[in-house]
Amino acid sequence: MSILQTLILFSLLLSASHAAVQDFCVADLMGPQSPSGYLCKKESAVTVNDFIFSGLGVPGNTTNLIKAAVTTAFVGQLPGLNGLGISLARLDLAPGGVIPIHTHPGGSEVLIVLQGSICAGFISSANNVYFKNLNKGDSMVFPQGLLHFQVNAAKGPSIAIVSFSSPSPGLQIVDFALFGNNLPSALVEAITFLDDAQVKKLKALLGGTG
Ligand SMILES: *[C@@H]1O[C@H](CO)[C@@H](O)[C@H](O)[C@H]1NC(C)=O
């Protein structure tokens, strides 16, 4: 094959692979969501605002049981994230605030403290515990699926930004899963070894019944 033929072949291959590449797949939020994300909005309907979310500049409302707020920039808020394997959230922790132990089944997380000080940690599948007080500018990674938590360690409010390796990492908080639904108390007691009074107290606190 001559050099010219080789070049032509390469440019054909390149243009073919270019044609196959999709720049983005902005989520059609009205359509179904599958494990690989949403279907794509027609490009003619896509606007710059599909790639922008301004909510992370606004402090979340921490007047609640956990004295904390999680403001998400997941695909539902930022449809341009669809298919890209990334997302963000903002954590606001008032004094005494806590993000109770939870997991994101769909993605790993990396946190950076913007203000204050946060005691953060996770528990491995081998039940080893990794936790530390993080100060402004410190980052910590929480591997996908593992149980983890954040507790405000400052006297004032603390703020962190977290990013995820998924546009829909999901969020399951253990206390709400155990005590915030209608799983019968007797079963909760059997699977947690807690006594009836403690389970009833937590169900009342977290909105559970049964
Ligand atoms: C924050 O949430 C509380 C409890 O739901 C509510 O009473 C309060 O009005 C909210 N504050 C703001 C500024 O939205």
Side-chain angles (χ1 to χ4, degrees):
M1 204 186 293
S2 75
I3 289 182
L4 185 62
Q5 280 174 321
T6 311
L7 282 176
I8 289 171
L9 181 63
F10 264 100
S11 66
L12 279 175
L13 282 173
L14 275 177
S15 63
S17 67
H18 248 193
V21 167
Q22 210 173 346
D23 290 334
F24 48 76
C25 172
V26 171
D28 173 6
L29 296 175
M30 309 306 273
Q33 189 180 19
S34 80
S36 54
Y38 287 91
L39 298 174
C40 312
K41 220 164 132 171
K42 279 202 313 271
E43 186 159 352
S44 58
V46 168
T47 74
V48 64
N49 291 329
D50 289 316
F51 302 98
I52 292 171
F53 175 64
S54 299
L56 298 187
V58 183
N61 187 340
T62 56
T63 307
N64 53 45
L65 180 69
I66 62 174
K67 300 189 176 77
V70 180
T71 308
T72 57
F74 294 172
V75 68
Q77 296 77 45
L78 187 42
L81 290 173
N82 193 46
L84 299 183
I86 51 173
S87 63
L88 287 173
R90 170 185 173 136
L91 309 184
D92 285 281
L93 296 157
V98 51
I99 313 288
I101 195 155
H102 64 281
T103 172
H104 307 284
S108 294
E109 170 178 342
V110 57
L111 171 151
I112 179 164
V113 179
L114 297 189
Q115 180 187 314
S117 162
I118 294 172
C119 177
F122 68 87
I123 300 165
S124 73
S125 298
N127 291 322
N128 291 316
V129 183
Y130 302 86
F131 74 99
K132 193 162 188 179
N133 262 23
L134 307 174
N135 297 312
K136 182 177 172 178
D138 290 341
S139 296
M140 181 168 180
V141 63
F142 306 91
Q144 179 163 350
L146 298 185
L147 289 166
H148 60 285
F149 57 84
Q150 288 98 12
V151 179
N152 193 359
K155 290 200 166 61
S158 290
I159 302 172
I161 294 288
V162 291
S163 73
F164 297 93
S165 60
S166 164
S168 307
L171 167 64
Q172 185 170 37
I173 299 177
V174 171
D175 297 79
F176 289 91
L178 287 172
F179 310 111
N181 54 33
N182 62 359
L183 187 59
S185 292
L187 260 179
V188 178
E189 289 151 30
I191 63 178
T192 60
F193 303 104
L194 293 171
D195 64 37
D196 187 60
Q198 186 70 59
V199 169
K200 293 268 165 51
K201 183 184 138 192
L202 286 165
K203 274 184 173 281
L205 190 65
L206 298 170
T209 56

